[in-house]
Amino acid sequence: AASKVSLAKEHDARAMAEHERDELAALLAKLREQLKSMTDKLHDLEAERDSLKRENAKLKDELAKANERVATLEGQLDALKAKLKAALLSGAQELEDALSALRAKLKATQDALHDAEEARDVATANATAATKRVAQAEQGLVAATAELEDLRKLVATLRVQIAAKTAEAEAATSERDRAKAELVVTAKNLPQESGGG
């Protein structure tokens, strides 16, 4: 009777271990799906970050050109102002035509400078915004990488637990077989013992 109880206990232990192992295996399958999804997300984030970096480099190049254009026009404006001042100081009648042309050129240069400054301001704003987007993309990438690493650790832990539950179920099965063998021996001895009594 004790062997039967022992056998039932071993059977329950094996069934429980197998059930726990199956639950862990189902969880592992779900985590593997999450792992693949996270890996894909990580690749997308890397691609987005790289694209933003390229856009940022382009905008910085545009900003450098805009700054160069403003500096060039400022230099031209200063030179024209100096010429105009020199012409005004001379006061010579024959320079009236030259003065008129200089004034026209001065106005055109001032207008061009204004436009160039506006273009530079737009380029500056664009470059600043692009730098911010790159920084945000980098942060998203770091967070996704950390999440992926956590998921990988969890999968590894689950694999160890599943292996342990499988071993537990196998041990319970071999214990059940031993208990069965004991029952057979006991059953064989029963007629002899009753005969002896």
Side-chain angles (χ1 to χ4, degrees), residues 33-42 144 147-148 151:
E33 282 180 23
Q34 285 182 24
L35 199 61
K36 186 188 180 303
S37 171
M38 279 299 302
T39 304
D40 292 345
K41 181 183 170 187
L42 198 63
E147 200 177 329
L148 188 64
L151 206 54

Side-chain angles (χ1 to χ4, degrees), residues 73-95:
L73 286 167
E74 282 174 343
Q76 288 178 8
L77 194 61
D78 288 343
L80 285 167
K81 280 178 179 175
K83 279 185 184 179
L84 187 62
K85 192 176 180 182
L88 285 168
L89 285 172
S90 73
Q93 185 62 40
E94 61 268 20
L95 288 177

Side-chain angles (χ1 to χ4, degrees), residues 39-161:
T39 304
D40 292 345
K41 181 183 170 187
L42 198 63
H43 289 157
D44 290 346
L45 284 170
E46 283 173 346
E48 185 187 353
R49 188 263 324 263
D50 293 344
S51 170
L52 285 169
K53 276 188 171 176
R54 285 193 295 273
E55 184 192 347
N56 195 24
K58 185 181 167 190
L59 288 168
K60 280 181 178 173
D61 186 49
E62 285 178 14
L63 176 58
K65 284 176 183 171
N67 280 327
E68 194 180 326
R69 171 84 175 137
V70 168
T72 301
L73 286 167
E74 282 174 343
Q76 288 178 8
L77 194 61
D78 288 343
L80 285 167
K81 280 178 179 175
K83 279 185 184 179
L84 187 62
K85 192 176 180 182
L88 285 168
L89 285 172
S90 73
Q93 185 62 40
E94 61 268 20
L95 288 177
E96 271 304 318
D97 290 344
L99 273 174
S100 179
L102 269 175
R103 284 194 183 102
K105 196 167 183 184
L106 186 65
K107 174 75 171 67
T109 305
Q110 283 173 328
D111 291 344
L113 177 61
H114 177 70
D115 292 344
E117 283 172 339
E118 281 188 346
R120 179 192 60 188
D121 292 344
V122 170
T124 301
N126 287 342
T128 302
T131 301
K132 192 176 177 183
R133 286 198 296 274
V134 170
Q136 286 169 343
E138 291 281 9
Q139 285 173 358
L141 200 56
V142 168
T145 304
E147 200 177 329
L148 188 64
E149 194 51 43
D150 289 345
L151 206 54
R152 281 186 179 140
K153 284 177 186 171
L154 192 53
V155 167
T157 304
L158 267 176
R159 282 185 179 141
V160 172
Q161 288 178 354

